[in-house]
Amino acid sequence: MDAFGDDDFGGSTEVDPAAEFLAREQGQLAGLEDEIEPIAAAADPVIEESELQTQNDDTNDAYEEPAVSSAPKVMKEEPEKIRKWREEQKQRLEEKDAAEAEAIEKLRLQAKEELDEWYKNHNEAKTKTKASNRESAVNAEKQFVASTDEIEPGTEWERIAKLCDFNPKSSKGSKDVTRMRSIILQLKQTPLPVTKS
């Protein structure tokens, strides 16, 4: 690198143009700080000198970029209007949270009452259905016992036909029993002769 005459990288004292620009602008805009609220988080990111160094561990050339000087951040108090607005907003949000919690509690109580009412109605309907089913079962049993007392020879097939369902539309999901149905109807209409021995 001696042939080119630039073997002294770190020896010259150069002034950082960015730092110079920032200092000049900061001086010109000093009066505007009173009118505009500073943005603390996104102002000037502080860049450390270690981040600006190049990763050149192979050689002993330690070229360092000059560090960007950042002006000290001055945190000012919030203006009165903004502070007042924040307090009012906080109070409004607390009131809304309280109202929401109250509304949720009302809905919970209402849902519990409706669920209790539904269970009450459901249990009443269930007991009514049980009672009517028992009653109809007892009546059906009485009718069946009364019909069995009247056994006459030759009426067996009529009694069997009464117990069978001859509606072809009601047996959609079951096996095909049309042949058996036709045989039972035929025996009902023309019973087999009874032989007495």
Side-chain angles (χ1 to χ4, degrees), residues 63-114:
Y63 174 72
E64 295 181 10
E65 291 182 19
V68 176
S69 65
S70 61
K73 297 177 184 171
V74 178
M75 293 299 295
K76 297 175 77 177
E77 286 190 29
E78 287 184 329
E80 181 67 25
K81 288 183 179 182
I82 293 176
R83 190 180 54 79
K84 187 176 179 182
W85 176 83
R86 284 188 197 275
E87 290 173 0
E88 289 173 359
Q89 184 70 7
K90 185 178 179 182
Q91 184 179 6
R92 277 186 294 220
L93 290 175
E94 288 174 356
E95 289 172 1
K96 283 184 178 183
D97 288 344
E100 182 182 11
E102 185 179 324
I104 287 173
E105 190 60 33
K106 281 183 182 178
L107 287 174
R108 239 185 228 131
L109 291 174
Q110 182 182 359
K112 187 176 188 287
E113 290 173 2
E114 288 176 2

Side-chain angles (χ1 to χ4, degrees), residues 29-62:
L29 299 176
L32 294 176
E33 287 181 346
D34 298 334
E35 298 174 13
I36 300 174
E37 176 183 339
I39 300 174
D44 274 338
V46 177
I47 301 173
E48 294 182 12
E49 189 173 329
S50 62
E51 293 176 10
L52 295 176
Q53 292 180 350
T54 57
Q55 301 289 329
N56 198 0
D57 295 333
D58 302 339
T59 63
N60 291 334
D61 297 335

